[in-house]
Amino acid sequence: MTDADQVRNSVVEEALGKLDLDTKARLLAGQDMWSLPAVPEIGLQSLVMSDGPIGVRGVRWTADDPSIALPSPTALAAAWDPALARRAGRLLAQEARRKGVHVLLAPTVNLHRSPLGGRHFECYSEDPYLTGVVGAGYVNGVQDGGVGTTVKHFVGNDAETERFTGDSVIAPRPLRELYLTPFEAIVANAHPWGIMTAYNQVNGTTMTEHRYLVNEVLRGEWGFDGYNVSDWMAARSTTGDIEGGLDVAMPGPQTVYGPALAEAVRAGEVPESAVDEAVRNVLRLAARVGILEGAPAVVTEAPAPVDGQALARELAARGFVLVRNEGGALPLDAAGRTVALIGAAARDARVLGGGSATVFPERIVSPLDGLTAALPDGALTYSVGADPSDELAPAEKGFELRAVCRDASGAVLGEGSLPTGQVQWIGNDLPAGATYETMASIEVTGTFLPRESGEHAFGTRGLGAFTLAVGGRTLWEGVQEMGNEADPFEAFFGAPSERARIDLTEGEPVEVSLTFHVPDMTALPLKAIMFSLLHLGPRRDAEELIAEAVAAARAADTAVVVVATTDRVESEGFDRKDLDLPGRQDDLVRAVAAANPNTVVVVNAGSPVELPWREDVAAVLLTWFPGQEGGAALADVLLGHAEPGGRLPTTWPARFADAPVTEVVPTEGRLEYREGLFIGYRAYEARSITPAFPFGHGLGYTDWAYESLEVTATTARVRITNTGTRPGREVVQVYLAPVADPVERPASWLAGFAGVEAGPGESVEAEIALPARAFEIWDEEARGWQRIGGTYEVRASHSHGDTRLTATLDLG
């Protein structure tokens, strides 16, 4: 413990001693959606939290204060570079400080147990070691900037279906060796200041009440000394939560803590010492971020400023994974060459996933923007080809909107801008002057400049009474009732509903208006308003669109097709049903590839999708959700100004039927992790299934010769040479494979890795630590870690499916 730690602890104890029971209980309950109350009598400021996996939104769902949007966490993990993750964290800390945020609700380190997990774009990997290393880099980076992190969702929240109530039934070994491992590694190597406990149960106990996993494992065994906050609305029992080690119940103002907690203490149901311990953790966090008077902040001088746009562009390119590149199709030779860019997502880029990770960047560079800027005039053509969605989506392209709040007399109370047609106000996130008590209506109003002539569809999403008008004409009035949505997150938003169609002319602006009639929310514990104005442009014949794309591809030297998922495929709140690309995108790729052998497919998806045409095209580049600078990074990589630096953080199956784990829907409330230790590449190897692209796979723009491997019980040294004509970066991966294994384990697993760089003809040595834990299993009878001796084959690999060198290690 440092001198500063001792001072902070002393100040915390002194402040704690000045608080009465009611104030202590109030401090453990959110005062609103995003913050804890200030306590001026002890010099405590209000502690502010914000979502933050890819950017810092702040406390309001608005574009008035834009946020840098980094690539999705799957992209960050694909870089296989904890130092890069640390740089990303420092940028987000910079953003947080600018917005007055003290704690980020990130990173998400749940595992890709099944490719159907709907929120996997917000997680890192199927592998616990890679997840822990990247997550530790992120946490260290954010906390380097003096901002706290909240590692989530502890634990077993690996699917979205019934996530509020489902019981994840996980045996002790896989729980320890897989799902707890990233959290344990981050606590050990990054000392996070916060943990978020999940909605779900684990083995019959709700995580916010899980005394064993929180108090005995997280705090007792691992020594975690930060604060434990509930996922939003996850806290359900005053006594169960405080006894289970939950410090803060969010959001407020009505929670199971506050007055209810004070009353439980007075009734003898909860010892006041339990409340004191929770308050101590909160005050320690406040001291660390510098908002408790007299306590020195951990970081008194912020790191050097980071250029957010430049780092977002670098991160995107570093995370792109080139999984196929036949005949050196990439990089493109731009000199005198023509490119046909195809795909709806090339124009309207999907740069982030749906749900609480959403932010509103100041700008978005689409693939069309990036390639237009990078290629000579006349070298690029664009065609839609096939739209991944025929569903209405929140009004965005061509719309300029604002929200106007009125009282029952029609008088304006307040108004605010909208980044899209989506209104999502929770708690105090309302335009100035508006209150839930006085608002009678909210009108989303503004203008729409159509990009195409034809029949445009308009609709709504959300529950309640609406009036829709376009061009000054009321097109629909009605009420949307609750449907059969299973997840409250999905129910809040409701399903998209088409309400009217109207013919509009390209380039001729028209007024639009959607009025929402605000219901009485007096009895609601958490007040929120969520609804959307939706739009869908004219639908042209799919065959005609594909024919246009084929003609453009035939006339160009290279065809670049961008395929994508949608927020109805990958989002918080629900899981996927399959791994198909939506719409006619597969048909589009096949048709274009048949017309042009130099077809490059760019896959804009946060997690695996089926690519049935992968062997029919020249190159396949995975760009994940690439963040706001994704189009610029794509141009950099396609034209060879940057190398695609990524390696797969999760296995991509050849077809959905090959995926080893597909059960994400609980049966009678229980989600049985029957596969045990065998998820991801461990399961593919156990079942002798060859995936489309193995874990760790990725091609650069140069070649590498693996020349020597030397191993000890603690280290592997691998010497490689760049045998290509360009400088490059290789991720050297080391896997352990036991010989004649005396216990049940996977056939092999990742033990360590290192990224190395070298110029043409240069050799470099990677020194890779082999952690002691890599040789251990969780002994269920002894309830402890056991080292397994014997003989191991140590594999130096380019990917899990591409071993280059082996050596034998005998642990005796």
Side-chain angles (χ1 to χ4, degrees), residues 659-744:
V661 181
T662 58
E663 188 178 354
V664 294
V665 177
T667 301
E668 297 182 352
R670 289 164 57 91
L671 182 58
E672 304 265 3
Y673 285 44
R674 294 187 180 89
E675 69 282 351
L677 299 170
F678 296 93
I679 66 171
Y681 64 86
R682 295 164 165 83
Y684 284 90
E685 188 170 24
R687 298 186 183 188
S688 299
I689 298 172
T690 301
F693 305 113
F695 175 81
H697 174 63
L699 308 171
Y701 287 158
T702 191
D703 297 310
W704 299 90
Y706 280 60
E707 296 176 339
S708 66
L709 167 63
E710 299 175 2
V711 299
T712 70
T714 59
T715 308
R717 288 186 176 83
V718 185
R719 184 176 178 82
I720 65 174
T721 296
N722 181 344
T723 58
T725 59
R726 295 170 52 106
R729 179 177 184 269
E730 173 73 331
V731 178
V732 180
Q733 303 160 39
V734 173
Y735 296 86
L736 297 180
V739 178
D741 204 355
V743 296
E744 183 190 24

Side-chain angles (χ1 to χ4, degrees), residues 252-398:
Q254 296 184 41
T255 79
V256 297
Y257 284 174
L261 181 57
E263 179 57 34
V265 173
R266 293 190 176 100
E269 298 168 358
V270 172
E272 189 166 357
S273 60
V275 176
D276 287 346
E277 187 57 34
V279 173
R280 185 175 285 116
N281 292 331
V282 172
L283 293 177
R284 186 182 299 117
L285 172 64
R288 284 170 169 165
V289 300
I291 59 170
L292 180 61
E293 191 175 302
V298 171
V299 176
T300 55
E301 191 170 327
V306 180
D307 183 330
Q309 286 187 5
L311 182 57
R313 185 170 180 167
E314 180 188 352
L315 281 170
R318 288 288 306 277
F320 289 174
V321 183
L322 183 61
V323 292
R324 178 177 172 85
N325 193 23
E326 289 301 297
L330 293 179
L332 301 177
D333 179 4
R337 307 280 288 180
T338 55
V339 175
L341 180 63
I342 299 164
R347 180 184 63 186
D348 300 328
R350 188 175 188 204
V351 301
L352 47 81
S356 61
T358 300
V359 295
F360 303 103
E362 187 172 27
R363 71 176 206 158
I364 291 175
V365 183
S366 69
L368 180 56
D369 296 332
L371 284 169
T372 298
L375 291 171
D377 289 346
L380 183 70
T381 62
Y382 171 71
S383 52
V384 172
D387 199 314
S389 176
D390 57 4
E391 284 191 335
L392 294 95
E396 182 176 11
K397 300 294 183 182

